[in-house]
């Protein structure tokens, strides 16, 4: 009886010190099993949220780079309109315009070939489909960034010194806008996932706390009861020993 009381008292002290009710399976096997499963979900949600945040950062980098490409294309379009004014411009003038066009095209090529996230190329067509594991059990979404190279945009050979069409630049702008729209939609989806994971994690953590957290007031009360029980046991043992000494004293007197 005393041994059992001491074990229980030790458990109460541990619960008060740690604030955790489920010190071992003996404190509630079914509750511990449920808590472990929910903790696994919480960890999965938190990691999924982190993955989604990383994915959003990647999309932001890609979108910012595409914004730079769009700016270059807009300037190329202005130059193309200017070069169309053949009634005024000479061949030499148009060549000077083309020189600037080539610089802008090189800028687009540099952006497409050098934009990276965690050493992964994003806009040169090599990224493919990147998977973001944003759910608690590995579920997620595939990112589609597109290809923003000169070839993919159809302006690799664009030259205003000969026959050209401004529609070529308009088509390139349309492709960039389309890619950015897709990125925006994916970014919004990740925002929703981040918000959901955060709230779900908070709710599950609260549920687990109800299973795991010790009711300190209740535990302290139980501990006091245990101490009183132990004191009573000791008192009864002393009384019994005293009675036995008295009996032996009478017997030998």
């Amino acid at each position: 009886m005393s041994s059992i009381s001491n074990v229980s008292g030790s458990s109460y002290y541990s619960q008060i010190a740690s604030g955790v009710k489920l010190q071992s399976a003996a404190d509630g096997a079914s509750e511990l099993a449920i808590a472990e499963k929910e903790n696994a979900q919480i960890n999965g949600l938190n990691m999924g949220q982190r993955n989604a945040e990383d994915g959003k950062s990647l999309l932001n980098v890609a979108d910012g780079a595409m914004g730079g490409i769009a700016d270059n294309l807009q300037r190329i379009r202005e130059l193309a309109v200017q070069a169309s004014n053949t009634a005024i411009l000479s061949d030499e003038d148009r060549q000077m315009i083309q020189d600037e066009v080539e610089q802008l095209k090189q800028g687009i090529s540099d952006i497409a070939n050098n934009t990276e996230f965690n050493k992964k190329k994003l806009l040169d067509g090599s990224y493919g489909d990147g998977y973001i594991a944003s759910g608690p059990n590995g579920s997620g979404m595939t990112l589609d960034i597109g290809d923003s190279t000169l070839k993919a945009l159809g302006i690799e050979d664009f030259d205003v010194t000969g026959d050209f069409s401004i529609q070529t630049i308009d088509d390139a702008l349309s492709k960039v806008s389309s890619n950015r729209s897709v990125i925006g939609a994916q970014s919004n989806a990740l925002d929703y996932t981040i918000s959901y994971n955060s709230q779900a994690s908070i709710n599950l953590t609260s549920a687990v706390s109800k299973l795991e957290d010790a009711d300190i007031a209740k535990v302290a009360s139980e501990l006091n009861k245990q101490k009183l029980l132990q004191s009573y046991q000791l008192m009864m043992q002393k009384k019994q020993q005293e009675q036995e000494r008295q009996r032996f004293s009478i017997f030998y007197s």
Side-chain angles (χ1 to χ4, degrees):
M1 181 74 170
S2 176
S3 175
I4 294 175
S5 297
N6 288 336
V7 171
S8 298
S10 176
S11 175
Y12 291 143
Y13 280 120
S14 297
Q15 290 182 38
I16 292 173
S18 66
V20 178
K21 177 175 63 176
L22 302 178
Q23 298 290 318
S24 67
D27 296 320
S30 61
E31 291 177 329
L32 183 62
I34 294 172
E36 287 297 330
K37 290 179 181 179
E38 292 188 348
N39 278 325
Q41 286 293 104
I42 291 169
N43 291 335
L45 285 165
N46 291 340
M47 182 52 68
Q49 179 178 342
R50 178 178 172 182
N51 289 345
E53 289 170 347
D54 288 342
K56 185 171 174 61
S57 295
L58 182 151
L59 292 176
N60 287 341
V61 170
D63 184 56
M66 285 185 187
I69 290 175
D71 290 342
N72 281 13
L73 286 172
Q74 290 287 3
R75 178 55 182 163
I76 291 175
R77 192 182 191 285
E78 290 177 8
L79 293 171
V81 172
Q82 182 182 6
S84 299
N85 192 24
T86 56
I88 302 295
L89 299 179
S90 64
D91 290 344
E92 182 179 355
D93 294 330
R94 295 176 73 186
Q95 183 58 57
M96 292 177 63
I97 292 173
Q98 181 59 29
D99 290 342
E100 184 176 350
V101 169
E102 290 299 328
Q103 291 178 357
L104 293 165
K105 285 165 62 178
Q106 184 60 51
I108 292 173
S109 182
D110 289 343
I111 293 173
N113 291 315
N114 297 326
T115 299
E116 297 181 351
F117 188 89
N118 194 32
K119 297 184 179 181
K120 297 189 71 170
K121 302 284 188 181
L122 299 182
L123 305 180
D124 66 350
S126 66
Y127 182 76
D129 296 327
Y131 186 76
I132 297 294
S134 57
N137 302 311
S139 60
M141 62 181 288
T142 299
L143 300 184
D144 179 14
I145 297 177
D147 187 340
S148 296
T149 59
L150 295 176
K151 184 176 181 180
L153 296 177
I155 60 169
E156 190 174 25
D157 300 320
F158 187 75
D159 190 337
V160 298
T161 61
D163 292 332
F164 66 91
S165 173
I166 295 176
Q167 185 62 46
T168 301
I169 305 302
D170 288 339
D171 290 343
L173 280 166
S174 179
K175 289 177 183 177
V176 172
S177 295
S178 178
N179 287 340
R180 296 186 74 183
S181 293
V182 171
I183 286 177
Q186 293 173 142
S187 183
N188 289 338
L190 289 177
D191 277 335
Y192 172 80
T193 297
I194 291 168
S195 177
Y196 172 82
N197 282 18
S198 176
Q199 190 59 50
S201 177
I202 290 171
N203 292 340
L204 277 176
T205 299
S206 177
V208 170
S209 293
K210 292 178 181 179
L211 291 173
E212 290 186 330
D213 291 356
D215 184 338
I216 302 300
K218 181 178 179 181
V219 173
S221 176
E222 291 296 329
L223 181 59
N224 287 332
K225 289 180 182 179
Q226 195 68 261
K227 288 180 178 179
L228 288 173
L229 177 60
Q230 289 175 347
S231 296
Y232 175 76
Q233 290 172 338
L234 288 173
M235 183 184 69
M236 293 302 296
Q237 288 175 357
K238 288 181 180 180
K239 184 176 181 180
Q240 185 178 8
Q241 290 172 355
E242 180 64 27
Q243 289 175 345
E244 288 177 354
R245 280 198 299 269
Q246 290 177 357
R247 284 199 299 268
F248 280 117
S249 176
I250 294 172
F251 181 77
Y252 288 107
S253 61

